[in-house]
Amino acid sequence: MKIEKHLNVESVTLAYGEEDVVHNASLSLEKGEIGCLLGPSGCGKSTLLRAIAGFEPVKSGRICMRGQVLSDAHNILPTEQRNIGMVFQDIALFPHLTIAENIVFGIKKWSKKDQTLRVQELLSLIGLPDIAERYPHSLSGGQQQRVALARAMAPKPDLLLLDEPFSGLDANLRETLVPEIRDILRKEQMSAILVTHDQMEAFAMADKIAVMQHGRIQQCGSAFNIYHEPKNRFVADFIGLGEFLQASIKDEYSVDSALGCLVGDEPLGYAPGTSVELLIRPDDIQHSEQSSLTGRIVSKWFRGSHYLYHVKLANGEVLPCITACHHDHDVGEDLGISIELDHLVVLPICDPETGVCDLQESEVVQTQAVAR
């Protein structure tokens, strides 16, 4: 017997007129799970979110929640019948209503007693128990965003959709508010989907992240998986900082590169002598005064707890390197580096103009690695 997910988006294609803008997208959420659609502007993430909400028709595929079909190529359940809440970038609180009246707006059919209890419950949940009689203009941006969340959660929707709700807030406020919102959703055991172009928001908020490009989901998984095990060049490049080092397959388990011979525990999947690219993250290269391997510093970036350097190797390739904040070196100095790779991430070499790869394999191959 097939067990239905709380939300299922199954091979969904969406179009504006004759042009397909989302292609064969599939993702699912368990009850209480928080998902994220992550990608650059124009990749189709907000369009897919709108289709889940019922604002966009489905060209092919289907969207189901709790075993009920919400949308397919022939039918679309009206938005107001989907029991879905939404929080937008534009907070859109009613300025002439008190905070309590804003929250009650979606539960007017409830009894007055139940309305009052729900308002008190939500204000306590968002950490603002004493603002019921205040008006939106008297609150800070972060407080208004939490009230908007409470208003969307008031009817106890089956799914909450958040369309870039933090993009209008300053960076420091986002850093504290995003995990707070996650905790609030956790306490309500509410399923949600966040749309954002900010990977740090996605990492802090979501259990499952779908990375999108050109209307296609390139990879779906946990933050750890998409960072450490990217499936293709776009995901590897879009998620986190990193550089690509030219390498050559030595044998089934190892590659030769400017960093020496790196060995993995699993087959790499390429023939010996094949030219590939090796993904290097900043945390893969550490400062080591005792190392015989050095690079010339070409740039530095102070990041509070550490420095991020870019160092040029003898063959001209440039790699990122992290050092503790007390290791302050000047551009132009030689820096000893050591390799701290946990795994190899190897990609076929692609034409930078067309994106076409020399090899048939289009996915990344990764394997546990050690430096030999």
Side-chain angles (χ1 to χ4, degrees):
M1 179 179 175
K2 182 181 178 182
I3 300 176
E4 292 286 347
K5 301 286 187 179
H6 184 73
L7 173 73
N8 266 315
V9 177
E10 303 173 6
S11 304
V12 165
T13 294
L14 308 173
Y16 289 145
E18 297 299 316
E19 180 184 3
D20 291 351
V21 293
V22 173
H23 310 269
N24 199 37
S26 295
L27 61 93
S28 64
L29 285 183
E30 303 281 1
K31 172 64 177 174
E33 194 171 27
I34 302 172
C36 176
L37 299 174
L38 172 66
S41 297
C43 70
K45 55 189 186 295
S46 289
T47 302
L48 183 55
L49 194 80
R50 288 173 56 81
I52 295 170
F55 298 135
E56 301 290 346
V58 167
K59 180 178 178 180
S60 63
R62 66 178 190 168
I63 301 170
C64 305
M65 187 161 63
R66 299 179 64 187
Q68 178 185 14
V69 177
L70 303 183
S71 296
D72 60 22
H74 308 290
N75 300 287
I76 180 169
L77 187 71
T79 300
E80 63 273 14
Q81 296 179 28
R82 296 188 176 210
N83 197 27
I84 289 176
M86 293 199 71
V87 179
F88 300 96
Q89 178 180 345
D90 181 2
I91 297 171
L93 294 175
F94 300 114
H96 61 291
L97 300 181
T98 66
I99 299 307
E101 291 167 339
N102 265 280
I103 295 174
V104 164
F105 187 81
I107 53 173
K108 288 182 177 179
K109 293 183 180 180
W110 292 22
S111 69
K112 292 294 184 182
K113 178 181 178 181
D114 287 342
Q115 288 178 17
T116 300
L117 289 174
R118 185 61 171 156
V119 169
Q120 292 173 346
E121 178 184 32
L122 288 169
L123 288 180
S124 177
L125 186 65
I126 65 174
L128 301 170
D130 301 320
I131 65 165
E133 301 308 314
R134 292 172 61 179
Y135 287 85
H137 72 269
S138 69
L139 304 182
S140 68
Q143 290 173 327
Q144 289 184 32
Q145 194 59 272
R146 278 182 278 179
V147 171
L149 179 70
R151 183 178 64 180
M153 293 169 61
K156 300 185 178 180
D158 291 322
L159 180 67
L160 189 65
L161 305 178
L162 303 104
D163 193 0
E164 305 227 29
F166 311 113
S167 59
L169 304 177
D170 66 71
N172 288 335
L173 181 54
R174 285 202 307 271
E175 191 169 329
T176 57
L177 185 60
V178 172
E180 287 178 3
I181 297 299
R182 175 183 169 86
D183 289 344
I184 291 168
L185 293 173
R186 277 275 180 269
K187 290 173 182 175
E188 281 279 294
Q189 296 184 315
M190 189 166 291
S191 303
I193 298 178
L194 169 72
V195 160
T196 183
H197 61 272
D198 187 320
Q199 61 183 274
M200 299 316 294
E201 278 184 23
F203 287 2
M205 184 81 159
D207 304 304
K208 180 184 294 181
I209 300 170
V211 183
M212 294 189 68
Q213 179 199 32
H214 301 322
R216 299 183 187 277
I217 294 178
Q218 300 293 319
Q219 184 173 350
C220 191
S222 68
F224 183 92
N225 290 145
I226 63 172
Y227 182 85
H228 289 288
E229 301 173 0
K231 294 294 185 184
N232 57 39
R233 175 67 182 260
F234 172 77
V235 177
D237 210 17
F238 185 75
I239 301 297
L241 296 172
E243 299 290 344
F244 296 92
L245 185 68
Q246 299 302 304
S248 176
I249 300 295
K250 182 177 180 180
D251 56 38
E252 191 176 10
Y253 293 89
S254 61
V255 297
D256 281 322
S257 71
L259 297 176
C261 180
L262 302 175
V263 183
D265 292 336
E266 296 180 6
L268 291 171
Y270 298 105
T274 302
S275 295
V276 293
E277 292 183 308
L278 177 65
L279 176 64
I280 302 294
R281 299 289 194 191
D283 49 313
D284 293 332
I285 307 297
Q286 301 291 325
H287 172 47
S288 173
E289 295 179 352
Q290 291 76 36
S291 176
S292 60
L293 180 63
T294 63
R296 182 69 51 85
I297 298 172
V298 295
S299 70
K300 61 184 291 189
W301 181 13
F302 180 65
R303 303 181 70 179
S305 62
H306 61 275
Y307 278 101
L308 173 62
Y309 292 101
H310 280 85
V311 297
K312 181 182 287 188
L313 303 178
N315 70 344
E317 291 183 284
V318 176
L319 297 179
C321 173
I322 286 179
T323 75
C325 61
H326 58 273
H327 287 290
D328 184 5
H329 300 273
D330 294 328
V331 171
E333 282 188 40
D334 287 335
L335 192 70
I337 57 176
S338 63
I339 306 160
E340 302 292 341
L341 276 168
D342 291 328
H343 55 270
L344 298 180
V345 179
V346 178
L347 302 88
I349 294 177
C350 297
D351 187 302
E353 298 293 330
T354 66
V356 176
C357 298
D358 293 338
L359 306 174
Q360 292 298 314
E361 294 89 340
S362 61
E363 291 193 346
V364 176
V365 179
Q366 63 271 321
T367 179
Q368 296 304 307
V370 293
R372 176 180 290 167

